[in-house]
Amino acid sequence: MLEKFTNFIDSRLAGPMDKIANQRHLRAVRDGIIATLPLIIVGSFFLIVAFPPLPADWGITQFLTANAATILLPYRMTMYIMSLYATFGIGASLAKSYDLDQVSGGILATIAFLLTFVPVNVPAEAMEAAGTVGFVLPMANLGGGGMFVGIITAIIAVEVYRMTDKSKFKITMPEQVPPAVARSFEALTPTLIVILGMATITYYIGFDWHQAIAKIVSPLVSAADTLPSVLLLIFMITFFWVFGIHGVSIVGSLARPVWLQLLEGNTTALAAGETLPHIAAEPFFQWFVWVGGSGATIGLAILLAFTAKSQYGSKLGKAIITPSIFNINEPVIFGVPIVLNPIMMIPFVITPMIMATIAWFATSWGFVNPVIVTAPWTLPGPIGAYLATGGDWRAAVLNIGLIVVSVICYYPFVKVYDRKELEKEQGLDATN
């Protein structure tokens, strides 16, 4: 039965899932958002500096709190407007997939996105107080709240670019003209179309992109921040992995825009001094679910390294324990292997779901702060959890506790696996 099911997955599901993972628009969205991670990681750490996990009566705490507005400026210029950078990245990545100029694709995507904003008049009193004049942009939509609008407008802009290039409806310069100048002139036609088209829709027709998209995706965002949704995502990711399909690549490409909205909602609330509203942002998965990597395999690595009696299990465990500490678990997945392994696929799917349930209730009941920072994913678990929650030591304790849970969940399966490996080795020895 298992063999038939495996063959079905390999022949009917693996191919389509691989195509989905490599579909050019999804790949462009994934690559564009991932390109913003350095800004998100560095920018979010200024939140910890502005709101340090230190006693309120300490002098340094009082100084940082008094200067929080200034300290948060790098955060507001990076993570707070992440959709602006992501839109450029998506446009550049999609243009590259069509063999078009990446910079032109990124710029077209960015202007298309900005043309969905309606500048707001600054009241005269506010202008005098701030010493400025003119209009302001609604900054909230430059952050996670505008991510889906950025994705849509980036795709529209680059598709216009592709159509004008394919149809030769563009200005072509002589070969003697420098390539950079020639590319600029070639981009004139799609730029004109994009600007006129987006301006007409936004300003003359009066279509509110952000409100319309928000109505469509708000149920999705709300549903994503629930325990059933968390468990479903975990199941999908691990299910694909046990058949050798990169689950994070497929599911993450679809879920990451929502995860970023949830994270941005927490950071915005923290900067405003409000209660953090969301639990299931991406760092929640990283530090409380994928401890050691997909499948929460840190427990498996520990057991193999310190309890395995078979030579293969013991040597493998010692080889994979260090990468697992830093959340690199491809050696585990393909070394044990977990892929198509009827013994190990069970804890690989079940363990992270149990850990997610524990972490979910720990967070929702207030035992641990919600995540606010995207810490580098290669940090050891307790350190990453501590930083991701803005310096909550309880998160580090929870992470350690979840590692113990991972060890307990994997233990009976590792014993069976190790016994079988030992029997193989003893059988080989007997035949020699």
Side-chain angles (χ1 to χ4, degrees):
M1 179 65 71
L2 179 61
E3 185 178 353
K4 290 182 179 179
F5 185 61
T6 300
N7 291 335
F8 170 79
I9 293 293
D10 187 54
S11 61
R12 299 294 181 87
L13 193 59
M17 289 300 102
D18 187 60
K19 288 181 180 179
I20 291 174
N22 290 290
Q23 200 277 333
R24 77 169 73 238
H25 296 94
L26 286 179
R27 190 171 67 245
V29 171
R30 180 192 64 205
D31 294 346
I33 292 176
I34 289 176
T36 68
L37 283 182
L39 296 176
I40 293 173
I41 292 172
V42 175
S44 62
F45 273 102
F46 284 91
L47 285 167
I48 299 178
V49 178
F51 304 99
L54 300 171
D57 57 349
W58 284 18
I60 184 65
T61 305
Q62 295 173 353
F63 172 80
L64 293 173
T65 303
N67 293 276
T70 302
I71 295 170
L72 285 173
L73 288 176
Y75 153 75
R76 296 191 182 282
M77 292 298 104
T78 52
M79 183 178 176
Y80 190 66
I81 56 173
M82 70 175 87
S83 289
L84 184 64
Y85 303 110
T87 301
F88 181 91
I90 294 167
S93 177
L94 185 56
K96 181 182 178 181
S97 73
Y98 285 126
D99 293 324
L100 299 172
D101 182 58
Q102 287 181 255
V103 176
S104 297
I107 291 174
L108 280 170
T110 303
I111 187 58
F113 177 53
L114 289 175
L115 284 170
T116 65
F117 289 79
V118 179
V120 180
N121 246 324
V122 179
E125 312 82 57
M127 286 193 293
E128 292 177 5
T132 186
V133 294
F135 300 90
V136 296
L137 291 178
M139 294 289 288
N141 288 333
L142 287 170
M147 185 63 70
F148 283 97
V149 176
I151 292 170
I152 293 170
T153 53
I155 292 173
I156 291 173
V158 175
E159 289 298 333
V160 169
Y161 186 17
R162 180 183 69 87
M163 287 188 290
T164 58
D165 181 78
K166 187 177 180 181
S167 64
K168 306 299 181 183
F169 184 58
K170 60 182 180 179
I171 299 174
T172 304
M173 301 300 290
E175 293 183 0
Q176 295 82 359
V177 176
V181 177
R183 286 196 298 269
S184 296
F185 276 91
E186 289 175 357
L188 277 175
T189 302
T191 301
L192 177 64
I193 295 173
V194 168
I195 292 178
L196 285 179
M198 295 300 298
T200 299
I201 295 171
T202 304
Y203 305 129
Y204 307 127
I205 296 178
F207 179 69
D208 189 333
W209 292 81
H210 297 274
Q211 186 178 25
I213 300 301
K215 287 181 179 179
I216 295 172
V217 303
S218 58
L220 178 63
V221 174
S222 299
D225 200 30
T226 63
L227 181 57
S229 175
V230 168
L231 297 179
L232 177 61
L233 288 173
I234 293 170
F235 174 80
M236 291 172 63
I237 290 172
T238 53
F239 176 80
F240 287 131
W241 260 124
V242 297
F243 292 98
I245 304 169
H246 199 302
V248 177
S249 177
I250 297 171
V251 180
S253 296
L254 301 173
R256 188 158 285 114
V258 177
W259 286 337
L260 284 175
Q261 281 204 28
L262 297 177
L263 182 63
E264 197 262 346
N266 280 355
T267 58
T268 301
L270 178 65
E274 301 170 353
T275 302
L276 305 186
H278 304 301
I279 295 176
E282 188 170 12
F284 172 84
F285 290 84
Q286 179 62 58
W287 304 114
F288 301 128
V289 180
W290 307 133
V291 186
S294 296
T297 52
I298 185 67
L300 171 58
I302 292 171
L303 288 167
L304 288 176
F306 298 106
T307 69
K309 296 180 180 179
S310 63
Q311 290 186 21
Y312 180 77
S314 179
K315 291 181 179 179
L316 176 64
K318 290 178 173 60
I320 64 177
I321 186 65
T322 299
S324 294
I325 291 173
F326 297 97
N327 305 306
I328 301 169
N329 75 334
E330 280 80 2
V332 180
I333 291 175
F334 297 104
V336 171
I338 289 174
V339 175
L340 300 179
N341 186 326
I343 297 174
M344 285 302 174
M345 66 171 59
I346 298 173
F348 186 81
V349 174
I350 298 299
T351 301
M353 297 177 75
I354 294 173
M355 294 166 61
T357 302
I358 295 171
W360 175 273
F361 284 110
T363 306
S364 62
W365 290 343
F367 298 143
V368 174
N369 290 340
V371 293
I372 57 168
V373 173
T374 302
W377 64 272
T378 50
L379 287 172
I383 298 174
Y386 175 82
L387 293 176
T389 52
D392 186 356
W393 63 269
R394 300 171 300 176
V397 174
L398 175 60
N399 183 276
I400 295 171
L402 292 173
I403 292 174
V404 175
V405 171
S406 175
V407 170
I408 293 172
C409 290
Y410 273 101
Y411 179 78
F413 299 93
V414 170
K415 296 298 290 184
V416 174
Y417 169 82
D418 188 49
R419 186 177 70 247
K420 289 182 177 292
E421 291 297 323
L422 188 60
E423 290 173 355
K424 290 179 185 178
E425 293 170 0
Q426 291 174 343
L428 289 174
D429 290 340
T431 58
N432 292 333

